[in-house]
Amino acid sequence: MSTTPASGPPAFQCAEPPAAAQAPFDDARADIILQSSDGVQFRVYKSLLSLASPIFADMFRIPSPTSSSPNPDDERPVVHLDFFLRHLYPIGTLDEAAAVPTRRVGGLAEFARKYRINALTKYITRYLMDNIELDPVDVYAMAIMYEFKDIWAKAALSCLNVPFSRLQSPYFPYIAREYHRELLRYHAACGEATSGLASELEWFYLFCQTIEFPRCTNCSTLGYFIFDRNSGRVREEAPLCLWQYLRRSAGVLAHHPSAKAVTTEEFVLKFNTCSSCRDDMQRRIFDFSTVFEEEIKKAIQRVPLPDVLTKPE
């Protein structure tokens, strides 16, 4: 970060006439000016920046050079610099309820790491957790990149809500390849475990003991032999739409191992079109999908997270 002499506080040099930032960064009493890469001047107090960051504190102890060119790598556009500085000001200028996208969280994390601002950790942690369902892959990579170890495994689990083909992030080039490979392996293992539920139907036999599917003369049914440890092989019959639901679920879960992917109303009832039994069958199928959802969660819980995620060095 560079400074240049001026009438008043030192500021970054800029070819265009500088514009003033919004309050509270337009205070004429401030003793230093930070200028964004797009030419907006932020009047701030050295004391506040020094308290937040030992890097700023050391910089302010060094006399300002008589002439200097700003380093573009140290500058940020006004929208980012404003966002960063509001986290350091103790006068309630930060909108605590506003949603913060992952890209901006990454900028804040980089700002905190570069200037060693530990006070930003609580904000970054909260923002990452706020985005863990919306953007789990970026949160996973970002948590590793900036060493938010408590979030690594949570983000990996949340990545199961994303299809295998979309496990990509612009942050992956900045972390060790091992972490990306382990995420892919974990996702694939969960896909194998959950898709297998459609053919390993011991749990399904127990479900059929409590709920009887209606027999409809207009619907085709398929018999299915299910192995029960106590009584041996048992034949159970269920409507064709149920077997179709299980087969479709197996195909989806193999690359998208999330209960949410196969328990939506649209997905569950896609082939339940019989005019004679549709209303009654919908209720039974939904009951089944609720049980199936729990079995999917149990299958995922049985897949161990990679050690690299649960035991980071």
Side-chain angles (χ1 to χ4, degrees), residues 248 272 281 308:
R248 289 187 295 119
N272 182 214
M281 187 60 65
V308 72

Side-chain angles (χ1 to χ4, degrees), residues 265-290:
E265 180 177 351
E266 180 182 4
F267 188 90
V268 173
L269 302 181
K270 185 173 183 179
F271 292 106
N272 182 214
T273 58
C274 178
S275 59
S276 298
C277 67
R278 180 174 56 194
D279 293 340
D280 190 22
M281 187 60 65
Q282 282 185 350
R283 180 172 59 84
R284 306 297 175 91
I285 294 289
F286 268 122
D287 288 342
F288 177 81
S289 68
T290 300

Side-chain angles (χ1 to χ4, degrees), residues 9-296:
F12 288 124
Q13 293 180 333
C14 182
E16 297 295 329
Q22 296 180 353
F25 308 119
D26 57 354
D27 190 344
R29 298 169 298 176
D31 54 0
I32 192 170
I33 297 175
L34 304 182
Q35 185 161 296
S36 66
S37 61
D38 43 1
V40 178
Q41 291 188 341
F42 291 77
R43 294 176 177 267
V44 292
Y45 291 88
K46 290 182 179 180
S47 57
L48 290 179
L49 297 182
S50 296
L51 286 172
S53 163
I55 303 299
F56 276 123
D58 289 342
M59 289 169 59
F60 296 147
R61 293 191 188 102
I62 302 173
S64 298
T66 57
S67 178
S68 175
S69 298
N71 181 352
D73 293 335
D74 287 342
E75 296 184 348
R76 301 280 180 172
V78 60
V79 63
H80 297 304
L81 190 55
D82 182 275
F83 177 68
F84 300 161
L85 293 176
R86 287 185 188 277
H87 285 78
L88 303 181
Y89 259 57
I91 56 175
T93 63
L94 183 66
D95 185 358
E96 298 276 354
V100 180
T102 49
R103 182 176 180 183
R104 187 169 289 187
V105 180
L108 185 64
E110 182 64 25
F111 181 72
R113 178 168 69 175
K114 182 172 184 177
Y115 294 105
R116 294 168 53 189
I117 307 176
N118 295 330
L120 296 180
T121 299
K122 63 179 182 180
Y123 295 107
I124 298 168
T125 299
R126 191 182 81 210
Y127 295 150
L128 288 174
M129 290 303 299
D130 287 346
N131 282 283
I132 202 167
E133 293 294 333
L134 297 172
D135 200 357
V137 185
D138 278 358
V139 169
Y140 171 82
M142 206 176 292
I144 293 173
M145 183 176 176
Y146 295 106
E147 299 185 351
F148 285 83
K149 298 179 181 180
D150 293 341
I151 300 178
W152 295 5
K154 295 176 183 177
L157 185 62
S158 188
C159 284
L160 299 179
N161 294 321
V162 177
F164 187 89
S165 61
R166 291 173 51 196
L167 294 177
Q168 300 294 330
S169 169
Y171 297 96
F172 279 147
Y174 302 100
I175 64 175
R177 292 181 181 177
E178 175 185 17
Y179 293 108
H180 190 192
R181 286 198 301 265
E182 290 299 331
L183 176 64
L184 297 177
R185 289 170 183 165
Y186 174 67
H187 197 284
C190 289
E192 182 178 356
T194 55
S195 63
L197 291 172
S199 56
E200 298 172 3
L201 292 179
E202 186 174 338
W203 63 273
F204 176 72
Y205 172 63
L206 298 176
F207 172 79
C208 287
Q209 290 180 318
T210 61
I211 292 184
E212 181 179 353
F213 288 98
R215 294 182 178 273
C216 178
T217 57
N218 294 329
C219 286
S220 299
T221 59
L222 292 178
Y224 199 100
F225 283 98
I226 301 169
F227 180 75
D228 176 61
R229 293 177 181 173
N230 296 323
S231 57
R233 298 180 69 83
V234 178
R235 181 180 175 84
E236 290 291 342
E237 288 188 353
L240 177 61
C241 61
L242 180 63
W243 304 122
Q244 291 175 328
Y245 170 60
L246 283 172
R247 286 197 296 270
R248 289 187 295 119
S249 296
V252 171
L253 290 170
H255 62 85
H256 193 174
S258 168
K260 296 178 182 179
V262 296
T263 56
T264 63
E265 180 177 351
E266 180 182 4
F267 188 90
V268 173
L269 302 181
K270 185 173 183 179
F271 292 106
N272 182 214
T273 58
C274 178
S275 59
S276 298
C277 67
R278 180 174 56 194
D279 293 340
D280 190 22
M281 187 60 65
Q282 282 185 350
R283 180 172 59 84
R284 306 297 175 91
I285 294 289
F286 268 122
D287 288 342
F288 177 81
S289 68
T290 300
V291 176
F292 190 37
E293 178 178 4
E294 293 304 313
E295 293 299 324
I296 291 172

